[in-house]
Amino acid sequence: MWIETKTEVEEASRSRAGFSRRVLDGLMLCTGDMEHLDTYIQEKWFVLQLAVWGLRGVARVILANNPLSGALILAALYWASPWQGLLGTLGVLASTLTAVIVGQDSGDVAGGLHGFNGMLVALLMGVFSSAGDWYWWLLLPVCLGSATCVFLFSGLTTLLDHWDLPAAVFPFNIIIVLYLLCTGTNNPYFPHSPVTPPGAVEPNDTALIAVEVIRGIPLGVGQIYATGALGPSLLILGAVVLYSPLLGVHAVLGSAVGTLAGLSMAVRHDSLYSGLSGFNGALGCMAVGGLFFTFSWRTHLFAIASAFLSAYSDIALSNLLGTVGLPACSWAATLIATLMLLLTGTLAAYRIPIGQVKAPERNLRSRSQWEAGNTEERESTDV
Amino acid sequence: MWIETKTEVEEASRSRAGFSRRVLDGLMLCTGDMEHLDTYIQEKWFVLQLAVWGLRGVARVILANNPLSGALILAALYWASPWQGLLGTLGVLASTLTAVIVGQDSGDVAGGLHGFNGMLVALLMGVFSSAGDWYWWLLLPVCLGSATCVFLFSGLTTLLDHWDLPAAVFPFNIIIVLYLLCTGTNNPYFPHSPVTPPGAVEPNDTALIAVEVIRGIPLGVGQIYATGALGPSLLILGAVVLYSPLLGVHAVLGSAVGTLAGLSMAVRHDSLYSGLSGFNGALGCMAVGGLFFTFSWRTHLFAIASAFLSAYSDIALSNLLGTVGLPACSWAATLIATLMLLLTGTLAAYRIPIGQVKAPERNLRSRSQWEAGNTEERESTDV
Amino acid sequence: MWIETKTEVEEASRSRAGFSRRVLDGLMLCTGDMEHLDTYIQEKWFVLQLAVWGLRGVARVILANNPLSGALILAALYWASPWQGLLGTLGVLASTLTAVIVGQDSGDVAGGLHGFNGMLVALLMGVFSSAGDWYWWLLLPVCLGSATCVFLFSGLTTLLDHWDLPAAVFPFNIIIVLYLLCTGTNNPYFPHSPVTPPGAVEPNDTALIAVEVIRGIPLGVGQIYATGALGPSLLILGAVVLYSPLLGVHAVLGSAVGTLAGLSMAVRHDSLYSGLSGFNGALGCMAVGGLFFTFSWRTHLFAIASAFLSAYSDIALSNLLGTVGLPACSWAATLIATLMLLLTGTLAAYRIPIGQVKAPERNLRSRSQWEAGNTEERESTDV
């Protein structure tokens, strides 16, 4: 496939429009899964390899698998808060290194599959900590929590493999809930503030500001990395578009759906403004719309349904866990995406086996080629 | 099998007792699974088909699979409360139609497997709503909740299929808990009152009235459809007896066992009087006694054990979920029935594969035929 | 294997050091799994068989499978509290007999697999009861609860068999939580006091006493049987050492790790002093260090990791369940041990299939023999 594209490009470069074509081609090399990079770094230093694996892990949080996207996202995190950026970096490195040490499959490690859960654990530990930034003792639970993700990821993968399901961000969700439960609110070493559920009654009922609500939609994309600033959120969205424009569209769409669901359930205004209502919808929408299923108008409708289900489940779970002061994190989106992968009927026909999931555009091309091949074959058999 | 019965009847009709025989025969056609109806309606209008599928779905709630039973039960619900009847009808139609749209297996749809969860969600949303009857906005969550059941049913079926387990009413139980959590008690659009757990202390300790407790036993059967009136409850019981007298006996027995369990744990009087203590016992008893297992005195003892376990688990789960104002619905009976299906040893020998489950009387006949066939075969091999 | 040992001993007895050798040999017969006993009692009275099965069940609680260890442990329990000893005996008998009645696999029953959950349920019901010792009505739930364990054990085994996982003490953990929820705190028949979570704030902040903390380490081994006295705890530890010294070492190590974890999270002093912080660590450490995995320095490190994870998860779950007044029992250790069994990578290479698990020393010998056999075979193939 790739060789063909190259020869096409070579021909094009002979023509007058060669230069712009070459730029576009260079850009094309930076999008999608960037598998050519893996062969390039194969025999390089371990530190370089680790960096690429880590950056893939950073991008995997938002379902992208592209080290450049990862670098952009990491930059966005450092922009939003250097302390959070440091924690994220430490988390992704701690869990990736642990995976190497406990002998996990090298393909999984290289694909960043052991990094994203650790990164999320680290980021969320930082966000919920009430000890302020640069509280160095926090690095201890961050490293331990991130390392533990590898154990859970490996165990859950074995468990879920029977149904060809991914472990996804289940490890992160389990570890962060256990950590917050373990420390409690009054812990002398690692204090954290309890979470207000979205269904909590607000003291003074003010009118909803439409602009703030709309601003919450791109913030919903940023909240996947627990950042609530507009600039970094847009940069993260840009990183997703770099990996796959289709995924970027679904991220915004899902966040909008989540905000809509929040409005229909009259959640706290703060929850809408900060993008917390949107991020589960965004994740649910991205998983179904193009990533685990070939894109089509049918899959698109299912993606919207998935976004609604994720958003409503998130409100429900947030209210439930909020009674004991816990956040619902991305439990809702993870559970709904898992449910969607288990569905039979129309949607199942579009499902891509977990081992073959690539960027949505690539999935689409593989399928059409495969279908074209099928048709050809059938024709040749007819003759 | 059926053809033989027909010829027998034809012969009988020649005799003097022909008329009463023919009446009995007509009645026989209306009992059991009524599979002959499926071939009859196969090429009729879609609306007629949908009605039969829906009525099967209505009856499936109480483990029966007979459209006439479904019609009787629906009549009972409209008798108890026209608004609840309307919600139930809407729920069963919404989820059956959704199943058709998302391309679920047509055999499952025709068997009413996609209707009963949707119906229960609709009924319970109506019961827990504190906005009063004829609050039309409620139709929105009713339709969405019922439709969502199809997703959960399909997904859970794939998950549980590894152990040949049915998805049963897990989807309903999940959806109703999520709905109640999502709206919370102070929701401005869809308010509902919190549930009092059965273990709550009563303000003034009055003596237990024996007649009321006994009255609670048939009410336990009605509570499966969330109705607390005696007349409709008896009509529902009649509908079960029409499908299978054996199932009807187990329903009453299970409800009595549940009431006994409630007495032994000193639950609130109200819980006993209203039949809420009995309905999980009834469901647990019905599932084991004849439906998923061939009837015998051993199965019967296991059915009683299942009723006790369901009833006690229900008290436990109600107390647990009651701390956050949630009802335990039929979680207990569903979990215990699933456990019973997983058992090894004596009970496993009586288990009927999920795909071959029919009315208890039919299961019994299939087994004795099969065993007779086995004996015959063995004899012929001996010669 | 065993026959060889016998001939060796016979030869030795001819030599001068014959006597002490014979004593040692007799002692050797009492350690490990004592499989020779099974053939010995095979045709004896049922009561004797039941006693051996029961004693194996008693020892299984602490992952040992040796009737003499069981007898020692039972003696320790009667020493600590005759009432608790009686409850334990009743529990193990009730569940073993139920398993015989409902037709469970006779090999499982003879191995004591149906006894240990019942025993734990009985012991914990006694501990949490606030009605005082010798409250005879308690025998009713003790018998019923223990009997129910058989159903859960059988069902969960079928469920977990797909991943070659043991049902372990999941049945006990489920039943005790359901029982406590079912009765509630104000139950007129079976009252019990709510549990204080380890993270609860203490009224007056006193300094930690180091000696008491160290005393908590052996107590952690006793807490597996819910006993908090030093003498009986040491006797229980002795019983473990009789079965397998390696397992005994890991029990103490795990308890120490658990205490360390408790210190790092600043749990209540009482939790440290009583050994409650240690027992989940002990169980988690024993399961990985030698029992389900062949012992090696790598397994040893994983065992320590498992102890830490179990201890921290226990604090988290205790804080969570403590909000509704429930204890976390051994949920943490059971879940973490299950997770360890699911791991891929380095640890998986040491895993012993559940059906072939023996005493750690025996596992080690089987493996080295098997590896030696493999090398020999390879060599002979080379020639």
Side-chain angles (χ1 to χ4, degrees):
Chain A
M1 220 2 258
W2 188 67
I3 300 162
E4 287 180 357
T5 321
K6 215 174 165 187
T7 27
E8 269 171 34
V9 173
E10 271 166 21
E11 278 167 17
S13 68
R14 281 182 217 123
S15 72
R16 290 226 311 269
F19 178 72
S20 62
R21 205 50 197 270
R22 245 174 303 170
V23 168
L24 229 164
D25 179 50
L27 208 70
M28 282 299 286
L29 283 176
C30 302
T31 64
D33 298 298
M34 288 186 71
E35 282 164 327
H36 49 90
L37 194 71
D38 289 343
T39 46
Y40 179 77
I41 63 158
Q42 209 151 33
E43 282 164 28
K44 293 287 183 305
W45 300 327
F46 179 71
V47 174
L48 185 69
Q49 287 186 322
L50 187 65
V52 173
W53 301 345
L55 290 176
R56 279 194 193 275
V58 171
R60 283 266 187 191
V61 170
I62 202 160
L63 306 172
N65 179 13
N66 180 316
L68 281 183
S69 297
L72 277 180
I73 291 165
L74 207 58
L77 290 179
Y78 274 101
W79 177 14
S81 152
W83 169 241
Q84 283 290 100
L86 176 73
L87 288 182
T89 314
L90 194 69
V92 78
L93 289 178
S95 61
T96 305
L97 280 174
T98 308
V100 173
I101 292 166
V102 303
Q104 293 297 308
D105 181 74
S106 59
D108 285 1
V109 174
L113 281 175
H114 286 291
F116 65 100
N117 277 293
M119 185 190 191
L120 276 169
V121 165
L123 287 175
L124 271 287
M125 278 185 181
V127 164
F128 289 120
S129 169
S130 59
D133 282 8
W134 312 108
Y135 176 67
W136 295 102
W137 281 108
L138 199 66
L139 299 190
L140 213 71
V142 158
C143 285
L144 286 176
S146 300
T148 310
C149 284
V150 176
F151 288 75
L152 273 167
F153 192 87
S154 174
L156 285 176
T157 301
T158 313
L159 201 71
L160 295 170
D161 198 47
H162 270 258
W163 298 274
D164 194 29
L165 292 173
V169 281
F170 281 120
F172 147 66
N173 283 305
I174 294 169
I175 295 288
I176 194 72
V177 163
L178 285 181
Y179 167 73
L180 293 178
L181 277 171
C182 203
T183 54
T185 43
N186 301 302
N187 197 280
Y189 309 142
F190 311 109
H192 65 85
S193 33
V195 177
T196 320
V201 190
E202 282 170 302
N204 48 347
D205 205 14
T206 51
L208 207 65
I209 307 156
V211 180
E212 288 276 313
V213 173
I214 290 167
R215 197 169 159 273
I217 297 175
L219 285 183
V221 179
Q223 283 290 2
I224 295 174
Y225 289 89
T227 179
L230 192 59
S233 294
L234 289 174
L235 188 53
I236 290 169
L237 185 60
V240 178
V241 172
L242 174 68
Y243 172 64
S244 152
L246 206 56
L247 212 59
V249 169
H250 277 99
V252 178
L253 181 69
S255 188
V257 164
T259 306
L260 210 66
L263 281 171
S264 77
M265 281 293 143
V267 299
R268 284 185 310 121
H269 295 177
D270 204 46
S271 190
L272 294 168
Y273 297 163
S274 64
L276 280 172
S277 291
F279 82 97
N280 267 285
L283 282 172
C285 196
M286 287 160 87
V288 175
L291 194 73
F292 293 124
F293 300 92
T294 319
F295 183 75
S296 77
W297 67 267
R298 275 199 185 125
T299 326
H300 187 64
L301 291 181
F302 275 104
I304 294 170
S306 170
F308 269 112
L309 288 180
S310 299
Y312 281 121
S313 306
D314 179 49
I315 300 172
L317 293 177
S318 295
N319 281 337
L320 176 66
L321 291 168
T323 57
V324 283
L326 291 174
C329 301
S330 55
W331 273 108
T334 318
L335 285 169
I336 294 294
T338 306
L339 177 68
M340 287 289 166
L341 287 170
L342 284 170
L343 276 198
T344 53
T346 312
L347 192 59
Y350 292 91
R351 179 157 175 201
I352 302 157
I354 290 302
Q356 296 169 30
V357 167
K358 302 274 169 210
E361 283 77 12
R362 178 79 176 278
N363 289 336
L364 203 56
R365 231 183 308 148
S366 316
R367 195 185 179 88
S368 49
Q369 277 179 345
W370 174 78
E371 280 180 346
N374 259 15
T375 322
E376 234 165 67
E377 217 163 74
R378 221 178 300 129
E379 273 165 5
S380 64
T381 326
D382 286 355
V383 178
Chain B
M1 222 356 264
W2 188 67
I3 300 163
E4 286 179 359
T5 321
K6 214 175 165 184
T7 26
E8 268 171 36
V9 173
E10 270 165 22
E11 280 166 16
S13 69
R14 281 183 216 121
S15 71
R16 292 226 310 267
F19 178 72
S20 60
R21 205 50 194 272
R22 245 173 303 171
V23 168
L24 230 164
D25 180 50
L27 209 68
M28 283 299 286
L29 284 176
C30 302
T31 65
D33 298 298
M34 289 185 72
E35 282 165 326
H36 48 89
L37 194 71
D38 288 344
T39 46
Y40 179 76
I41 63 157
Q42 209 151 33
E43 281 165 29
K44 293 288 183 304
W45 300 328
F46 179 70
V47 175
L48 185 70
Q49 288 187 321
L50 187 66
V52 173
W53 301 346
L55 289 176
R56 279 194 192 275
V58 171
R60 284 265 187 191
V61 170
I62 201 159
L63 306 172
N65 180 12
N66 179 316
L68 280 182
S69 297
L72 277 179
I73 290 164
L74 208 59
L77 290 178
Y78 274 102
W79 178 14
S81 153
W83 170 241
Q84 282 291 97
L86 176 72
L87 288 183
T89 314
L90 194 69
V92 78
L93 289 179
S95 61
T96 306
L97 280 173
T98 308
V100 172
I101 292 165
V102 302
Q104 292 298 307
D105 181 74
S106 59
D108 285 2
V109 173
L113 282 174
H114 286 290
F116 65 100
N117 277 294
M119 185 189 191
L120 276 169
V121 166
L123 287 175
L124 270 287
M125 279 184 179
V127 165
F128 289 119
S129 169
S130 59
D133 283 6
W134 313 108
Y135 176 67
W136 295 103
W137 282 108
L138 198 66
L139 299 190
L140 213 72
V142 158
C143 285
L144 286 176
S146 301
T148 310
C149 283
V150 175
F151 289 74
L152 272 168
F153 191 87
S154 174
L156 284 176
T157 301
T158 313
L159 201 70
L160 295 170
D161 198 47
H162 270 259
W163 297 275
D164 194 29
L165 292 172
V169 282
F170 281 119
F172 147 67
N173 283 304
I174 295 168
I175 295 288
I176 194 72
V177 163
L178 286 180
Y179 167 73
L180 292 177
L181 278 171
C182 202
T183 54
T185 43
N186 301 302
N187 197 281
Y189 308 143
F190 310 110
H192 66 84
S193 33
V195 177
T196 320
V201 190
E202 283 169 303
N204 47 349
D205 205 15
T206 51
L208 206 64
I209 307 157
V211 181
E212 289 277 313
V213 173
I214 291 167
R215 197 169 159 270
I217 296 174
L219 284 183
V221 179
Q223 283 290 3
I224 295 173
Y225 288 90
T227 177
L230 191 60
S233 292
L234 289 173
L235 189 54
I236 289 169
L237 185 59
V240 178
V241 172
L242 174 68
Y243 172 64
S244 152
L246 205 57
L247 212 59
V249 170
H250 277 98
V252 178
L253 181 70
S255 187
V257 165
T259 306
L260 210 66
L263 281 171
S264 77
M265 279 295 143
V267 299
R268 285 186 310 120
H269 295 177
D270 206 45
S271 191
L272 294 168
Y273 297 164
S274 65
L276 280 172
S277 291
F279 84 96
N280 267 285
L283 282 171
C285 196
M286 288 161 86
V288 176
L291 194 74
F292 292 123
F293 300 92
T294 319
F295 183 76
S296 78
W297 68 267
R298 274 197 187 127
T299 327
H300 187 63
L301 291 180
F302 274 105
I304 294 170
S306 170
F308 269 111
L309 289 180
S310 300
Y312 282 120
S313 307
D314 178 51
I315 300 172
L317 293 176
S318 295
N319 281 337
L320 176 65
L321 291 168
T323 56
V324 282
L326 290 174
C329 300
S330 55
W331 273 108
T334 319
L335 286 169
I336 294 294
T338 306
L339 177 68
M340 288 289 165
L341 287 169
L342 283 169
L343 277 198
T344 52
T346 311
L347 192 59
Y350 293 92
R351 178 154 177 204
I352 303 157
I354 290 301
Q356 296 169 32
V357 167
K358 302 275 168 206
E361 284 77 11
R362 179 78 176 278
N363 288 338
L364 203 56
R365 231 183 307 148
S366 317
R367 194 181 180 91
S368 49
Q369 277 179 345
W370 175 77
E371 281 180 344
N374 260 16
T375 323
E376 232 165 69
E377 217 162 76
R378 222 178 303 132
E379 274 165 5
S380 63
T381 327
D382 286 355
V383 178
Chain C
M1 222 359 260
W2 188 67
I3 300 163
E4 287 179 357
T5 321
K6 216 175 163 184
T7 28
E8 270 172 35
V9 173
E10 272 164 21
E11 280 165 17
S13 69
R14 280 181 217 123
S15 73
R16 290 226 311 267
F19 179 73
S20 62
R21 207 46 198 274
R22 245 174 302 170
V23 169
L24 229 164
D25 179 50
L27 209 70
M28 282 298 287
L29 283 176
C30 301
T31 64
D33 298 298
M34 289 185 70
E35 282 165 326
H36 49 89
L37 193 72
D38 289 344
T39 46
Y40 179 75
I41 63 158
Q42 208 150 36
E43 281 165 29
K44 292 287 183 305
W45 300 327
F46 179 70
V47 175
L48 185 69
Q49 288 187 321
L50 187 65
V52 174
W53 300 345
L55 289 175
R56 278 194 193 276
V58 171
R60 284 265 188 192
V61 170
I62 201 159
L63 305 172
N65 180 12
N66 179 315
L68 281 182
S69 297
L72 277 180
I73 291 164
L74 207 59
L77 290 178
Y78 274 102
W79 177 15
S81 153
W83 170 240
Q84 282 291 97
L86 176 72
L87 288 182
T89 314
L90 194 69
V92 79
L93 289 179
S95 61
T96 306
L97 280 173
T98 307
V100 173
I101 291 166
V102 303
Q104 292 298 308
D105 182 73
S106 60
D108 286 1
V109 173
L113 282 174
H114 287 290
F116 65 100
N117 278 293
M119 185 189 192
L120 277 169
V121 165
L123 287 175
L124 270 287
M125 278 185 180
V127 165
F128 289 119
S129 168
S130 59
D133 282 7
W134 312 107
Y135 177 67
W136 295 103
W137 281 109
L138 197 67
L139 299 191
L140 212 71
V142 158
C143 286
L144 286 176
S146 301
T148 310
C149 283
V150 175
F151 288 75
L152 273 167
F153 191 88
S154 174
L156 284 176
T157 302
T158 312
L159 202 70
L160 295 170
D161 197 48
H162 270 259
W163 297 275
D164 194 29
L165 292 173
V169 282
F170 280 120
F172 147 66
N173 283 305
I174 294 169
I175 295 288
I176 195 72
V177 163
L178 285 180
Y179 167 74
L180 293 177
L181 278 170
C182 203
T183 55
T185 44
N186 301 300
N187 196 282
Y189 310 142
F190 311 110
H192 66 85
S193 33
V195 177
T196 321
V201 191
E202 282 170 301
N204 48 348
D205 206 13
T206 51
L208 206 63
I209 308 157
V211 181
E212 289 276 312
V213 172
I214 290 166
R215 198 170 157 270
I217 295 174
L219 285 183
V221 179
Q223 283 291 4
I224 295 173
Y225 288 90
T227 178
L230 191 60
S233 293
L234 289 174
L235 189 54
I236 290 169
L237 185 58
V240 178
V241 171
L242 175 68
Y243 172 64
S244 152
L246 205 57
L247 212 58
V249 170
H250 277 98
V252 178
L253 181 70
S255 188
V257 164
T259 305
L260 210 67
L263 281 171
S264 78
M265 279 295 143
V267 299
R268 284 186 310 122
H269 295 178
D270 205 46
S271 192
L272 294 168
Y273 297 163
S274 64
L276 280 172
S277 291
F279 84 98
N280 267 286
L283 282 172
C285 196
M286 289 160 86
V288 175
L291 194 73
F292 293 124
F293 300 92
T294 318
F295 183 76
S296 78
W297 67 268
R298 273 197 187 127
T299 327
H300 187 65
L301 291 181
F302 274 105
I304 293 169
S306 169
F308 268 111
L309 288 180
S310 300
Y312 282 120
S313 306
D314 179 50
I315 300 171
L317 292 177
S318 295
N319 281 337
L320 177 65
L321 290 169
T323 57
V324 283
L326 290 175
C329 301
S330 55
W331 273 109
T334 319
L335 286 169
I336 293 295
T338 305
L339 176 67
M340 287 289 165
L341 287 169
L342 283 170
L343 276 198
T344 53
T346 311
L347 192 59
Y350 292 92
R351 177 153 179 204
I352 302 157
I354 289 302
Q356 296 169 31
V357 167
K358 303 275 168 208
E361 284 76 13
R362 179 78 176 277
N363 288 337
L364 203 56
R365 229 182 309 147
S366 317
R367 195 182 179 90
S368 48
Q369 278 179 345
W370 173 78
E371 282 180 345
N374 259 15
T375 322
E376 233 165 68
E377 215 163 76
R378 221 177 302 130
E379 274 164 5
S380 64
T381 327
D382 286 355
V383 178

